[in-house]
Amino acid sequence: MTGRTLELVELPPGYKATRTTMKYVSHTITVHPDLIIYGANCCGCDWKTRGHDEQTQALDACLAHSGRSGHRSFRPLSEGFAFVVRADEEAKT
């Protein structure tokens, strides 16, 4: 443990010391493919669309907004849920 100093302290009478074992376990992080939500922001105003299950739905909403407002630039967004899983465990959703 580089850069850290451990200080030993004496326990008050009646307290029992416990032993801690630390180990390093590999983890992975994965975005759940069924839990992605699509949306978009208009770059010409504060218009936003959110909560679409398919990217094409969000882009269709952008086309409709473009037809009404004349704005032609949008920032597509996608939000997902990521799960961290220990290498020796199954994924829990």
Side-chain angles (χ1 to χ4, degrees):
M1 296 196 308
T2 310
R4 291 187 182 182
T5 52
L6 297 176
E7 185 178 318
L8 296 176
V9 251
E10 192 174 319
L11 294 174
Y15 282 88
K16 294 182 181 180
T18 58
R19 182 172 274 173
T20 302
T21 304
M22 295 177 66
K23 66 179 184 175
Y24 296 94
V25 179
S26 295
H27 290 74
T28 59
I29 186 165
T30 305
V31 176
H32 195 292
D34 296 333
L35 299 177
I36 297 175
I37 299 170
Y38 297 96
N41 292 344
C42 178
C43 295
C45 67
D46 291 332
W47 179 86
K48 298 176 184 178
T49 182
R50 294 280 188 281
H52 301 286
D53 294 331
E54 298 289 330
Q55 187 175 18
T56 54
Q57 295 170 330
L59 296 178
D60 287 345
C62 292
L63 287 170
H65 177 71
S66 179
R68 289 189 303 272
S69 66
H71 300 160
R72 298 174 64 181
S73 57
F74 297 88
R75 178 171 289 125
L77 304 169
S78 63
E79 296 179 26
F81 293 93
F83 297 95
V84 175
V85 181
R86 283 178 43 166
D88 58 349
E89 286 182 341
E90 289 291 321
K92 298 175 185 174
T93 57

